[in-house]
Amino acid sequence: APAIVVVDEAYAEFRREGTGSALELLSEFPNLAVTRTMSKAFALAGGRLGYLAASEQFVDTLRVVRLPYHLSSVTQAVAHAALMHADVLLSQVATIRTERDALVSWLRSQTYQGTSLEVADSDANFVFFGRFEDRHAVWRGLLDQGVLIRESGPEGWLRVTVGTPTEMEAFKNALVKELGL
Ligand SMILES: *Cc1c(COP(=O)(O)O)cnc(C)c1O
């Protein structure tokens, strides 16, 4: 590209084994920037904190044009502390990835109205599945059982966020009941 390219890797820590990262391309492309956030994998959404990786040349230029005090000293201190304890903060990631892969397999093994449920490959902490003639009805049916997922994505699809094993069990039980699986 004859311009700056920004790759948003907000969910990168959740990607499956063997899935690449744009970080690997940085040495080859001085016009590339990769952004990440501490909101997801670090479970630090309240920190409103992210970071960027790019060539030295890119970062030097960014320093010239960035606003002064765009990141408070307190936030920077939080970032430092978070990075020093990255192993603790990131410890949930492995559990979520395992739960996610198990959920994808489980959903794919379910037969609904004569065909298998469709499930998109996921490298994030959520899973898209479908397709439903009336996705709102399915969403509502789950909510009535105390399970809140998201009615978003392409028409006919629903999005479920991966949670704890207990939460995933509740989701699966509710879905079985709602769809008559
Ligand atoms: C969460 C997210 C971000 C970053 O969010 P902040 O909380 O503002 O750091 C960026 N892109 C995508 C696609 C996201 O889901």
Side-chain angles (χ1 to χ4, degrees):
I4 285 171
V5 173
V6 179
V7 177
D8 180 358
E9 290 198 343
Y11 293 95
E13 292 88 348
F14 297 101
R15 69 194 192 278
R16 290 163 298 170
E17 201 78 47
T19 304
S21 159
L23 290 177
E24 294 151 33
L25 303 171
L26 284 178
S27 58
E28 206 181 327
F29 298 100
N31 60 330
L32 173 67
V34 181
T35 59
R36 295 219 178 156
T37 177
M38 297 186 100
S39 291
K40 310 282 159 57
F42 280 82
L44 213 68
R48 310 255 36 91
L49 180 62
Y51 56 96
L52 170 149
S55 63
E56 206 171 330
Q57 191 184 340
F58 193 118
V59 173
D60 281 346
T61 309
L62 207 58
R63 281 206 175 99
V64 175
V65 298
R66 76 175 171 92
L67 294 171
Y69 310 115
H70 71 297
L71 205 59
S72 78
S73 311
V74 174
T75 303
Q76 290 180 49
V78 169
H80 259 275
L83 288 173
M84 280 169 66
H85 300 282
D87 51 340
V88 180
L89 289 164
L90 292 172
S91 64
Q92 283 301 314
V93 172
T95 313
I96 290 169
R97 286 171 65 197
T98 306
E99 282 299 315
R100 180 214 40 221
D101 292 343
L103 179 66
V104 168
S105 302
W106 182 83
L107 284 167
R108 284 189 175 142
S109 72
Q110 302 303 308
T111 306
Y112 174 59
Q113 296 183 339
T115 54
S116 296
L117 283 177
E118 284 180 73
V119 188
D121 287 337
S122 173
D123 287 301
N125 62 349
F126 56 82
V127 174
F128 275 110
F129 66 103
R131 304 177 182 192
F132 303 107
E133 190 86 346
D134 183 355
R135 72 169 174 183
H136 183 72
V138 178
W139 175 84
R140 184 78 233 180
L142 295 178
L143 186 61
D144 289 344
Q145 297 182 68
V147 175
L148 177 62
I149 64 168
R150 287 216 205 164
E151 192 180 349
S152 69
E155 194 48 51
W157 291 70
L158 290 166
R159 170 179 156 165
V160 58
T161 300
V162 179
T164 63
T166 313
E167 287 168 335
M168 297 336 289
E169 208 49 44
F171 164 73
K172 288 193 278 187
N173 289 337
L175 194 69
V176 165
K177 218 164 154 192
E178 172 59 26
L179 301 180
L181 299 173

